[in-house]
Amino acid sequence: MTEQPEPIRIVIVGGGTAGWMTAATFARFLENGFEIDLVESDAIGTVGVGEATIPQIRLFNDALGLDEDAFLRATQGTYKLGIEFVDWLRPGHRYMHAFGTVGRDVGLLPFHQYWLRANALGTAKDLAAYSLNTQAALAERMQRGPARTARVLPDMPSAFHFDAGLYARYLRRYSETRGINRIEGKVVRVERADNGDIGSLLLEDGTTLAADLFIDCTGFHGLLIEQTLATGYDDWTHWLPADRAMAVPSERSTAFTPYTRSTAKAAGWQWRIPLQHRTGNGIVYSSEHLSDDEATATLLAGLDGEALADPRPIHFRTGKRRKMWNRNVVAIGLAGGFLEPLESTSIHLIQSAIARLMKLLPGRTVAEADRTEFNRQSDFEYERIRDFIILHYHANDRTEPFWQKCREMALPETLSAKIDLWRGNGHITREHEELFTEVGWLQVFAGQGVMPRGHHPLADAIPATDLAEFLDTIDQLNAREVAQMPSHADFIARHCAAALSVPA
């Protein structure tokens, strides 16, 4: 009989959203030839404010085989069609960065080239009129599946708001029933092997855990990737100067919006995320321009309902590890880097790191080429998301010192090139597998008041009267589709209403 090889051992250090998303993926796809432990301590808290997501979370949940309604009930979840930005360009101004398409492409040109021409002619409405997601979001309506009133209308992609702590708990149950071994304990010492890799972990109770591969999900602390391996950190606070947040839950609001709201403040911004049992709130701010007491007062003054706890402070430094895979340690989640949740990318960055690791998963020996490619792809993703977030801060007409500093700062060359290309004749290019699409850049460019000097000459081929009729038809079809949708609250009640008391 052929002797079976020793299983490859993987230890995940840390739970929370990052740890249990990783564990659930391993539980689903690494059934044979692996032994997987997750070590976490109930005494160590998690950040747990990542309650808003983007549509890619559906790919993750579908890969695990999760039932959408059951998942939403378990996590007190709601739907999300986009993000509303309030007061970002200037006080009193607002716009939506919605999921899905805007308008309809014609021939060789994207829709926005025709919109730019109509805008110059004075016949175009705001971009919101041509986005089904935006119209549905602002009307607080929701549906799943294909459009009902016209075949030419696009689907309405959505993401979720959910309680991150409940999501981690849900994935823990999923993982443990599929063979992941959870170990309660605190790591007190990390032992290095002769070759410099991590060899084993010593827990407080004397347990030793050895592994071939370690996944660091220990948050900002970076126990393995930084505290042990001294990997280094690329600090991006010169571009994104906010360095603190306060988070607080409040009573469930009567405004049950299927979108996240981000409201600009004097030295940062405040988020609002509606869940079934409460509303998640927080303020992201620069401690150079706003004290903790001032931030707390601003946050509490902007709540829809009564606060359910004291505001919880979070200190952070925007940036990323210089290597997210160093030796035999892969950092996932906040251990790998932090980009403020302005565009709800925190959970996505966990998801994409897991997907990247699964594609490049090593055997017992880690190849340097695998590490290099993992880090190259990670760097590219973080840098392009960073640029997209910087654009929101940089393009503003506000008068406060914080916003003046953001407006006047030198930009990364990659972002400057993107802005210059757009300002010329409205061209937007998406490089490789950038997260944000041309339509995403379009909505933020236009929403933040960055408009091009011209448009593509092929857009002039349509007579002005036909162009106006084309745009009006899109607007009318969107409005007709939205009118037959149920309200977001009714849709939740019908399909995935949860008990308002959260299980222990």
Side-chain angles (χ1 to χ4, degrees), residues 158-180:
S158 60
F160 310 111
H161 303 121
F162 53 69
D163 184 312
L166 294 179
Y167 187 53
R169 190 183 305 170
Y170 187 65
L171 294 181
R172 173 181 167 179
R173 290 195 296 269
Y174 177 99
S175 303
E176 290 185 306
T177 59
R178 289 164 175 81
I180 299 297

Side-chain angles (χ1 to χ4, degrees), residues 348-420:
H348 171 74
L349 285 167
I350 296 171
Q351 176 183 341
S352 62
I354 294 169
R356 196 172 296 127
L357 176 59
M358 291 300 292
K359 288 180 180 178
L360 297 168
L361 190 69
R364 208 169 305 280
T365 302
V366 178
E368 185 59 36
D370 292 340
R371 279 192 291 246
T372 299
E373 181 60 18
F374 183 95
N375 290 326
R376 185 194 68 78
Q377 292 182 23
S378 300
D379 290 348
F380 178 84
E381 180 173 49
Y382 269 77
E383 288 165 3
R384 292 306 188 271
I385 295 174
R386 173 204 67 193
D387 287 359
F388 195 62
I389 294 173
I390 292 172
L391 174 62
H392 298 66
Y393 281 103
H394 174 68
N396 77 83
D397 294 335
R398 296 184 64 107
T399 59
E400 299 93 336
F402 170 81
W403 293 99
Q404 289 178 354
K405 177 179 178 179
C406 292
R407 187 164 59 245
E408 295 165 1
M409 66 182 167
L411 299 177
E413 291 183 6
T414 46
L415 177 56
S416 291
K418 207 108 178 178
I419 293 173
D420 290 345

